[in-house]
Amino acid sequence: EVRLLESGGGFVQPGGSLRLSCAASGFTFSNYVMTWVRQAPGKGLEWVTAISPDGGDTNYADSVKGRFTISRDNSKNTLYLQMNTLRAEDTAVYYCANIGGSGSMRDYWGQGTLVTVSS
Amino acid sequence: QAVVTQEPSLTVSPGGTVILTCGSSTGAVTSGQWPYWFQQKPGQAPRTLIYDTSYKHSWTPARFSGSLLGGKAALTLAGAQPEDEAEYYCLLSYAGARVFGGGTKLTVL
């Protein structure tokens, strides 16, 4: 059974930093593109960033470029999102998902972790 | 950054057929943009219905299908059920980065 479990969300002041983690199980993590998607309260989904299976290729939405960094540790089956210089508009539920690549165990989503940026 | 457009809301009768569309500000949507469709119900994480334009997962009900139609990606629901009432999002690829549409709120009434 594929499981994606996000953690690390919480309350942070504007300008602060936070690191999210996504623990993966049930599939060969190192073979899959991994993605972070966020959803602000009452709003739609926003694609944030994705990383290739070996970690060598990353892409970012313009809204987070230069502030967020995606990374992965294939030895720990874990995906990360380092979020710096946080703004109020970064407040959202952050989901990890193995969408956007190939493989038979693709296109699963975690349950999300809430990040609140407020003073 | 490209803008992906969806109908804000649609209504379908139980047992009826409805087509949701997904357009791109850059022109016609192509299969090379690997269109995805997701379903999200209130309080739940999204669920992937369709990938790569028209491919279904094992959990995708047979009444859902994906295609390209008139320069857009399309999600057809044939034989709507009450449990299909949800928000539907498409996702398109733009040279590595991806962009979601604003979502379509589907009411089954």
Side-chain angles (χ1 to χ4, degrees):
Chain A
E1 178 193 8
V2 171
R3 294 197 69 185
L4 297 169
L5 185 61
E6 303 93 337
S7 62
F11 188 93
V12 61
Q13 292 187 333
S17 297
L18 211 56
R19 189 177 84 154
L20 305 183
S21 299
C22 172
S25 61
F27 66 105
T28 305
F29 180 74
S30 59
N31 287 351
Y32 286 80
V33 171
M34 294 299 297
T35 297
W36 287 100
V37 173
R38 69 183 181 183
Q39 186 168 36
K43 302 297 185 182
L45 300 176
E46 180 184 11
W47 182 91
V48 176
T49 179
I51 188 168
S52 60
D54 67 358
D57 187 28
T58 58
N59 288 280
Y60 296 91
D62 290 346
S63 58
V64 306
K65 205 170 290 184
R67 299 188 299 122
F68 289 13
T69 302
I70 189 172
S71 62
R72 64 192 298 159
D73 186 336
N74 286 344
S75 69
K76 295 182 178 179
N77 291 343
T78 303
L79 175 72
Y80 302 101
L81 182 64
Q82 178 66 44
M83 304 186 294
N84 297 332
T85 318
L86 283 161
R87 307 166 179 166
E89 54 264 36
D90 295 319
T91 294
V93 174
Y94 285 74
Y95 296 100
C96 74
N98 63 348
I99 61 174
S102 59
S104 61
M105 303 300 282
R106 59 182 288 184
D107 299 337
Y108 288 84
W109 292 70
Q111 287 304 303
T113 186
L114 176 62
V115 172
T116 303
V117 184
S118 176
S119 54
Chain B
Q1 186 165 312
V3 176
V4 177
T5 55
Q6 297 183 242
E7 298 87 0
S9 64
L10 291 170
T11 300
V12 61
S13 301
T17 297
V18 64
I19 299 175
L20 289 66
T21 68
C22 175
S24 172
S25 62
T26 61
V29 175
T30 69
S31 59
Q33 292 181 273
W34 313 108
Y36 268 94
W37 290 95
F38 305 95
Q39 179 192 65
Q40 188 179 34
K41 296 182 179 180
Q44 296 183 15
R47 179 174 74 147
T48 306
L49 290 178
I50 300 288
Y51 66 97
D52 297 352
T53 304
S54 59
Y55 291 87
K56 301 180 188 183
H57 282 287
S58 58
W59 57 80
T60 305
R63 59 185 178 274
F64 289 96
S65 62
S67 64
L68 294 178
L69 194 64
K72 297 182 179 182
L75 177 70
T76 301
L77 170 57
Q81 301 297 308
E83 60 265 30
D84 298 328
E85 185 161 297
E87 193 85 21
Y88 292 83
Y89 296 92
C90 66
L91 178 68
L92 299 178
S93 177
Y94 295 90
R98 295 184 187 240
V99 180
F100 278 99
T104 296
K105 181 175 175 57
L106 181 66
T107 300
V108 180
L109 188 62

